[in-house]
Amino acid sequence: MSVPLSYIWRNLAARKLTTLLTAGGMALVVFVFATVLMLEEGLRKTLVETGSPDNVVITRHSAGTEVQSVIDREQAAIVENQPEVAYSTNGLRLASKETIVLISLAKRSSDKASNVLIRGVGQKGIELRPQVEIAEGRMFRPGSTEIIAGKSVAERYKGAGVGETLRFGQREWTVVGIMDAGKTGFDSEIWGDVDQLMQAFRRPVYSSVILKLNDPAAFSELKTRIENDPRLTLEVKQESVFYAEQSQLLANFIRYLGMILSIIFSVGAIIGAMITMYASVANRATEIGTLRALGFRRKNILAAFLLEALMLGAAGGVVGLVLASFMQFFTISTMNWQSFSELAFSFTLNGAIIIKSLAFALIMGVAGGFLPAARAARLSIVDSLRAV
Amino acid sequence: MENLPKPIVQIRQVTKSYHRGEQWVPVLTNISFDIISGEFIALMGPSGSGKSTLLNLIAGIDKPDSGSLKVNGIDIATLSEADLADWRAANVGFIFQFYNLMPVLTAFENVELPLLLTRLSRGERRERVELALSMVGLTDRVEHYPSELSGGQQQRVAIARAFITDPVILVADEPTGDLDRASANEILAMLERLNSEMGKTIIMVTHDPHAAKSAHLIRHLEKGELDVTN
Amino acid sequence: MHFLKLILRNTLRHKLRTSLTVLGLVVAILAFGLLRTVVDAWYAGAEGASSARLVTRNAISLVFPLPINYQERIRRIQGITAISHASWFGGVYVTPKNFFPQFAVDAKTYFSLYPEYLIPPADMKAFLTDRKGCVIGRKLANTYGFKIGDTIPLRGTIYPGAWSFTVRAIYDGAEAGTDTSQFFFHWDYLNETMKKAVARRTDWIGVYVIEISDPDRAAEISTEVDAMFRNSLAETLTETEKAFQLGFVSMTEAIVVAIRIVSFLVIFIILAVMANTMAMTARERIAEYATLKALGFGPYFLAGLIYGESLAIALAGGVLGILLTFPVADRFSEQVGTLFPVFGVSLETIYMQAAAAIAVGITAAILPAFRAARVPIVEGLRSIG
């Protein structure tokens, strides 16, 4: 039988200020840890879910992103007519030849500008992205200078709301609708008719071709054929893979910076826990001696103090998680270095993050409590009874 | 044939020294004596005489450097630390000068502590604790914390804790040292009853001659050696 | 001086606790300083910008090029003393992880606009005579071990193909804040190669870099340049180099803001630790404080003891943390290589670190000092902590 739980947690409650400060320090560290994980997950969700599993993105070989990619009309036509391409209900191929440009737009809140991605899409463009819906207004009419804006762009940039106009490529473009892409990358884009945009920017070439496969398993066949075709200098990727690769630099940066910060911060919190636990042991020396005299073993004492430290960690973990969960109300908008265009994503909390954060908190507790608990266990009965 | 009173504690040639920096300070040198079962004995002597050390050895919370120390037939000097802990839980009751109650546990929970080392069920433990607390007259203070009790009441809780496991011996280190005259008398009376009604062997260290009067036998320790007077 | 002696001796009473607290402070102040240095590095490009240089880019966005024939027309504007051009190449050296900026520049004119890039004249000559030569910065050379004469292969992304260049010169920065992680080569070589491959893309450049004689006329001249090309196929946007660099930073502003917030969080964490230490220490010494009061020492004396001890510990941790920031920043800078070309601990950062340490020392002592000053003597003497 070990030392009663009520003894352990009531000692924490008896020293309210100390417990508050120590657990508070750990809570802040868990907050940073959880927030970074949530940011990473938000970024991953945004990008990975931007892609559908049966869609394929074709760009020029080793272009990296659509912005750098150039596909001429002949190559685009060849690609469009591959046998693996699915057909829609009205008998047309589910393929969209698209062109990407980045334009500098001024934000609504400040006058600072950022690069926004404009995507000229083919007729099937929106059908190829089932996660995209028209939330407000309507789809642009093909062959016109109408455009639709992603939710994030409409909110953040001047002139990107329904009924407003943007001027670029020496023309006025009217926003007639807002698309909701379910927090994926398309929320940060503006879409228009590909032919109109190509004319306006005098770019007679496409950036990419998006295809829907009639059978997702046919991907490798299609990939091999296109990449080995001597007429074509293209590379084929599954849409989700394509977008995941696009954010690698940013995702890695967030992950490494976040982990380094969490580790450094945790050192501070662990030191705090250590100081508290050492004081706890020192102040209760007579109690420890009494418990040992009554017959409790050294390992019971060790376990009791470790448990006390774990409880501190758990308290900090829970508070930190609760604080972090409020971050879900915020969205981050920053430039993705690889695609050079702005991307909006938010903090996403899931079960794995909750578990990891709590585990992190408990580990901090153990790390801080171990040496003091060992010291408590090592005390000789006679010495600790004599302590004042 | 009369049953000769059995020695419950048999100490033979026990030596104990302590480290003070670089030096070894001898506290007990080749001490030998017996304590009879059912005896109430007071150990007296000036500070540094080794009386507390002797008590610690008998109680099994310290080990002699040499010699044998049999309690109820078992030489506890040969037991491992883990076995000694189990032995104490079953055989020794402790009463300290400053009560040594857990401040965050109620009177009930403090008395229950030693029972947590047994296999008794929750209900069984509750029964015994309530009985013990009634025997020391604290039934109405069961849910109070030590800070809410007077010195005398706290020591009574400690006494209940000391006999709850029905130990073979009770050791008391200056049990009345922190109490006023009235409370001290209460406590001494309780110890006397424990001895006369429940037959508990009690070994008490004290420097108060008035407290020593409650004991049947007083032994003086001076520089680690025993004298007998009564 | 007995007061100071008392404070110092008090800090040494609990060596373990004091050293743990100091350690925590060192880590926190160090982290704080590093994070601020990262933010500074973000703005380094803007800091190193000259007010006598303007950058002209395509008004739509940086992704669109400008025609080469603009150069002569811009040169004729009053107040412009020199003009050159640069184009972002964006090649990959082995893997995308090895990022460093690469520009195709007008070799003859570019380097006179950047006097802060120090190049030995003999090397410059070697570069000018080798069409496939390149000029690289000292930091870039050190990161990958490039020496003069080495061949650097680059995989083109915007300009596809396998490119290779020979290092002809290594430039050093005139100041600590000069970016020496860059890679420059001949735009003529790029253009010739494009003529043969994709005719449509010849004779286009990225940005024009303009030197003006009077920095005060920057806004005026910028407007003049842009007016010249309004309503043409490629409208321009001209701004000071500083504004141009700041434009990049503002695009990743969210990250900078996040790092700033986090750097203050770490101070709060250590504040909690420090406050805890002082609270525990003061609580354990209540009897002593009561004794001092009984002897006749006033509440200010007691408060002074506690503030003094708290500040002593905070300053010890702060000074150590500040001193450690320099070697740690150097190691960090080596690790990230060319990602942060300029990584130096600024004076302002040191002031902020010191201020943070002092603030923590003072704040942590407030509650304990208040409590100690107010403890009634009799109660205090009875307390055993």
Side-chain angles (χ1 to χ4, degrees):
Chain A
M1 219 26 278
S2 54
V3 180
L5 230 69
S6 48
Y7 173 74
I8 299 172
W9 83 259
R10 276 189 221 160
N11 267 305
L12 283 173
R15 291 271 174 99
K16 288 200 180 55
L17 183 62
T18 292
T19 299
L20 222 80
L21 286 172
T22 311
M26 288 204 254
L28 281 175
V29 180
V30 172
F31 169 72
V32 170
F33 181 78
T35 301
V36 169
L37 287 180
M38 284 164 67
L39 192 60
E40 240 193 286
E41 176 64 14
L43 178 61
R44 192 195 65 84
K45 251 188 102 178
T46 298
L47 287 161
V48 166
E49 292 185 4
T50 302
S52 315
D54 37 8
N55 277 5
V56 152
V57 174
I58 300 176
T59 53
R60 207 216 39 236
H61 181 66
S62 107
T65 65
E66 287 168 293
V67 173
Q68 298 155 313
S69 162
V70 165
I71 302 179
D72 61 38
R73 290 191 192 266
E74 295 90 49
Q75 295 197 28
I78 296 174
V79 162
E80 217 185 0
N81 289 307
Q82 295 293 310
E84 287 88 353
V85 179
Y87 285 88
S88 74
T89 44
N90 57 11
L92 291 176
R93 288 176 168 270
L94 278 168
S96 177
K97 294 176 289 204
E98 305 188 343
T99 230
I100 306 286
V101 290
L102 294 178
I103 61 168
S104 191
L105 286 183
K107 294 208 170 123
R108 285 195 199 274
S109 53
S110 60
D111 264 318
K112 301 205 179 139
S114 223
N115 290 341
V116 176
L117 190 143
I118 304 205
R119 183 184 294 272
V121 300
Q123 279 209 329
K124 291 293 166 198
I126 196 161
E127 206 180 318
L128 276 167
R129 278 87 171 200
Q131 72 269 52
V132 176
E133 288 175 349
I134 304 286
E136 220 186 290
R138 58 174 173 81
M139 182 62 177
F140 59 81
R141 272 172 306 180
S144 69
T145 55
E146 293 173 349
I147 53 177
I148 56 174
K151 242 174 54 162
S152 179
V153 177
E155 270 167 42
R156 301 177 117 83
Y157 290 91
K158 292 198 177 93
V162 177
E164 294 183 280
T165 50
L166 291 171
R167 187 190 151 76
F168 51 83
Q170 295 173 309
R171 292 191 209 174
E172 301 275 326
W173 305 77
T174 318
V175 180
V176 297
I178 298 193
M179 51 177 171
D180 182 345
K183 292 209 170 174
T184 64
F186 300 121
D187 272 334
S188 305
E189 295 183 2
I190 295 177
W191 286 8
D193 180 299
V194 62
D195 294 314
Q196 292 295 311
L197 284 166
M198 278 164 75
Q199 267 183 47
F201 288 115
R202 290 168 205 278
R203 278 178 67 115
V205 291
Y206 298 106
S207 306
S208 57
V209 180
I210 321 292
L211 305 171
K212 181 173 161 117
L213 299 174
N214 49 26
D215 176 9
F219 169 70
S220 41
E221 243 190 86
L222 176 69
K223 179 179 166 80
T224 323
R225 189 182 322 121
I226 291 185
E227 289 182 356
N228 289 332
D229 189 326
R231 299 172 293 173
L232 310 171
T233 54
L234 304 173
E235 71 185 2
V236 182
K237 290 203 180 118
Q238 283 158 312
E239 201 178 22
S240 40
V241 170
F242 178 76
Y243 281 107
E245 285 178 4
Q246 285 232 300
S247 69
Q248 248 182 16
L249 262 186
L250 191 58
N252 286 344
F253 176 75
I254 291 176
R255 183 180 313 131
Y256 288 132
L257 188 62
M259 284 307 111
I260 291 176
L261 286 176
S262 295
I263 291 174
I264 294 178
F265 289 9
S266 72
V267 171
I270 289 173
I271 287 176
M274 237 194 255
I275 294 174
T276 297
M277 292 307 301
Y278 269 126
S280 185
V281 169
N283 289 328
R284 280 148 56 197
T286 22
E287 287 175 41
I288 296 172
T290 306
L291 286 170
R292 293 278 309 281
L294 291 178
F296 288 94
R297 306 283 192 80
R298 285 192 199 271
K299 60 180 183 193
N300 298 136
I301 305 292
L302 178 75
F305 279 95
L306 264 181
L307 213 57
E308 190 174 319
L310 272 173
M311 282 185 186
L312 269 177
V318 168
V319 172
L321 264 177
V322 166
L323 284 175
S325 67
F326 284 113
M327 295 302 287
Q328 291 180 100
F329 292 118
F330 294 97
T331 340
I332 291 247
S333 184
T334 188
M335 179 173 77
N336 181 355
W337 297 315
Q338 279 167 281
S339 72
F340 211 53
S341 59
E342 203 180 83
L343 185 63
F345 50 100
S346 54
F347 298 90
T348 310
L349 186 60
N350 62 25
I353 294 179
I354 293 178
I355 292 176
K356 281 188 197 159
S357 305
L358 285 175
F360 183 65
L362 290 176
I363 291 175
M364 278 200 288
V366 169
F370 182 71
L371 287 177
R375 174 183 279 195
R378 275 207 305 265
L379 290 172
S380 87
I381 303 179
V382 173
D383 286 336
S384 40
L385 281 175
R386 220 184 276 141
V388 174
Chain B
M1 194 56 152
E2 236 185 296
N3 275 337
L4 282 171
K6 279 172 45 204
I8 188 127
V9 177
Q10 288 173 293
I11 299 173
R12 297 281 175 273
Q13 306 285 73
V14 156
T15 311
K16 180 74 184 176
S17 311
Y18 281 113
H19 243 152
R20 279 272 168 267
E22 290 266 313
Q23 292 179 305
W24 277 108
V25 177
V27 182
L28 300 170
T29 323
N30 278 330
I31 199 168
S32 301
F33 80 113
D34 286 357
I35 300 177
I36 309 298
S37 175
E39 208 163 51
F40 185 164
I41 167 174
L43 289 175
M44 297 188 72
S47 82
S49 56
K51 55 190 194 297
S52 287
T53 305
L54 185 56
L55 195 70
N56 290 344
L57 290 176
I58 296 172
I61 60 176
D62 202 356
K63 276 206 173 164
D65 294 335
S66 66
S68 84
L69 216 164
K70 284 201 185 145
V71 179
N72 218 9
I74 302 175
D75 186 353
I76 63 176
T78 63
L79 291 180
S80 70
E81 199 180 77
D83 290 337
L84 207 48
D86 291 340
W87 177 84
R88 283 196 303 273
N91 292 286
V92 185
F94 288 88
I95 302 163
F96 300 94
Q97 178 176 4
F98 293 108
Y99 332 123
N100 288 28
L101 298 176
M102 304 296 140
V104 299
L105 295 179
T106 61
F108 182 97
E109 291 163 338
N110 266 294
V111 177
E112 193 189 20
L113 257 184
L115 294 180
L116 294 177
L117 293 162
T118 67
R119 287 182 193 280
L120 293 172
S121 74
R122 201 151 184 223
E124 288 171 331
R125 295 202 299 265
R126 169 165 286 275
E127 246 181 70
R128 287 173 202 231
V129 171
E130 282 172 355
L131 181 61
L133 279 169
S134 73
M135 285 169 73
V136 298
L138 283 176
T139 316
D140 54 340
R141 291 271 194 273
V142 159
E143 292 303 315
H144 283 142
Y145 289 95
S147 56
E148 298 164 335
L149 301 172
S150 72
Q153 289 169 328
Q154 288 184 60
Q155 194 62 297
R156 281 193 269 164
V157 174
I159 290 177
R161 180 181 72 187
F163 70 74
I164 189 112
T165 50
D166 202 20
V168 163
I169 54 175
L170 286 174
V171 298
D173 195 340
E174 308 277 8
T176 57
D178 195 50
L179 300 172
D180 60 84
R181 180 56 81 216
S183 308
N185 287 337
E186 254 181 49
I187 296 302
L188 290 168
M190 219 167 272
L191 288 177
E192 277 175 312
R193 272 175 44 222
L194 274 172
N195 176 249
S196 55
E197 288 172 26
M198 289 173 67
K200 297 282 172 217
T201 310
I202 301 182
I203 306 141
M204 176 174 73
V205 158
T206 184
H207 62 266
D208 177 10
H210 177 82
K213 285 213 193 87
S214 296
H216 303 155
L217 192 60
I218 299 179
R219 302 201 72 162
H220 285 275
L221 260 158
E222 216 164 303
K223 297 201 179 149
E225 285 176 9
L226 273 171
D227 261 349
V228 182
T229 52
N230 197 357
Chain C
M1 282 302 107
H2 283 299
F3 188 61
L4 286 179
K5 229 205 280 188
L6 197 56
I7 290 175
L8 209 57
R9 295 250 183 93
N10 272 333
T11 59
L12 295 174
R13 275 167 75 167
H14 242 169
K15 289 206 183 63
L16 181 60
R17 180 184 294 176
T18 302
S19 24
L20 280 179
T21 309
V22 168
L23 182 63
L25 267 156
V26 169
V27 168
I29 298 291
L30 183 59
F32 180 71
L34 264 182
L35 287 171
R36 280 199 52 95
T37 307
V38 167
V39 170
D40 283 346
W42 221 276
Y43 283 93
E47 289 303 306
S50 155
S51 51
R53 280 196 297 255
L54 305 175
V55 173
T56 300
R57 62 165 171 89
N58 192 310
I60 306 177
S61 78
L62 205 50
V63 156
F64 287 89
L66 293 171
I68 182 92
N69 58 32
Y70 280 16
Q71 184 155 337
E72 283 311 310
R73 295 170 62 185
I74 299 177
R75 186 199 301 277
R76 281 187 239 128
I77 294 180
Q78 273 269 14
I80 293 183
T81 53
I83 178 169
S84 184
H85 59 78
S87 305
W88 178 266
F89 183 67
V92 171
Y93 174 63
V94 184
T95 77
K97 249 182 0 99
N98 303 333
F99 170 84
F100 53 88
Q102 305 135 23
F103 296 99
V105 299
D106 183 17
K108 291 189 290 309
T109 54
Y110 192 78
F111 294 97
S112 52
L113 269 122
Y114 287 89
E116 61 261 41
Y117 300 159
L118 307 170
I119 307 173
D123 297 343
M124 190 65 201
K125 206 155 157 239
F127 168 65
L128 287 172
T129 46
D130 181 2
R131 258 172 58 254
K132 295 173 71 171
C134 61
V135 176
I136 65 177
R138 180 66 59 188
K139 178 135 202 225
L140 178 58
N142 290 342
T143 307
Y144 299 102
F146 296 143
K147 294 181 297 307
I148 295 195
D150 283 352
T151 312
I152 302 180
L154 292 177
R155 177 165 54 89
T157 54
I158 309 175
Y159 303 92
W163 301 73
S164 90
F165 302 90
T166 316
V167 181
R168 289 296 173 205
I170 299 179
Y171 75 86
D172 287 289
E175 286 144 48
T178 309
D179 184 352
T180 57
S181 71
Q182 300 177 91
F183 177 107
F184 302 105
F185 64 96
H186 291 264
W187 178 82
D188 290 329
Y189 174 46
L190 177 69
N191 204 32
E192 278 168 33
T193 314
M194 281 295 108
K195 260 198 191 108
K196 291 182 230 146
V198 188
R200 186 183 48 85
R201 295 179 70 180
T202 50
D203 295 342
W204 291 90
I205 58 103
V207 296
Y208 286 105
V209 187
I210 300 167
E211 188 185 69
I212 56 178
S213 54
D214 183 3
D216 291 333
R217 291 192 61 219
E220 231 184 282
I221 298 181
S222 301
T223 321
E224 238 187 284
V225 173
D226 295 336
M228 191 181 273
F229 301 104
R230 181 142 307 131
N231 291 318
S232 73
L233 282 177
E235 292 185 356
T236 61
L237 180 71
T238 308
E239 51 194 348
T240 61
E241 194 182 38
K242 190 167 193 139
F244 178 73
Q245 298 281 17
L246 281 175
F248 282 109
V249 180
S250 72
M251 285 197 258
T252 49
E253 200 167 39
I255 298 185
V256 175
V257 168
I259 295 182
R260 277 217 173 101
I261 292 177
V262 159
S263 72
F264 283 108
L265 263 180
V266 77
I267 298 297
F268 277 111
I269 294 174
I270 201 62
L271 180 59
V273 172
M274 185 86 204
N276 189 27
T277 296
M278 291 316 298
M280 284 194 298
T281 304
R283 183 174 41 223
E284 285 159 12
R285 298 194 202 147
I286 290 281
E288 291 171 37
Y289 298 136
T291 307
L292 284 169
K293 265 192 164 178
L295 289 178
F297 290 97
Y300 286 116
F301 182 83
L302 291 180
L305 278 182
I306 297 178
Y307 277 106
E309 189 171 342
S310 187
L311 271 171
I313 297 177
L315 284 174
V319 166
L320 262 175
I322 292 176
L323 287 177
L324 277 175
T325 310
F326 293 92
V328 174
D330 281 341
R331 278 299 308 276
F332 184 78
S333 173
E334 274 169 48
Q335 291 297 332
V336 294
T338 44
L339 201 56
F340 282 122
V342 179
F343 201 80
V345 184
S346 73
L347 201 57
E348 204 195 317
T349 298
I350 299 176
Y351 285 149
M352 296 253 357
Q353 284 175 298
I358 293 174
V360 167
I362 293 179
T363 313
I366 292 179
L367 196 57
F370 182 68
R371 281 189 179 171
R374 286 189 48 186
V375 70
I377 300 181
V378 175
E379 230 182 83
L381 286 172
R382 217 186 286 146
S383 140
I384 32 172

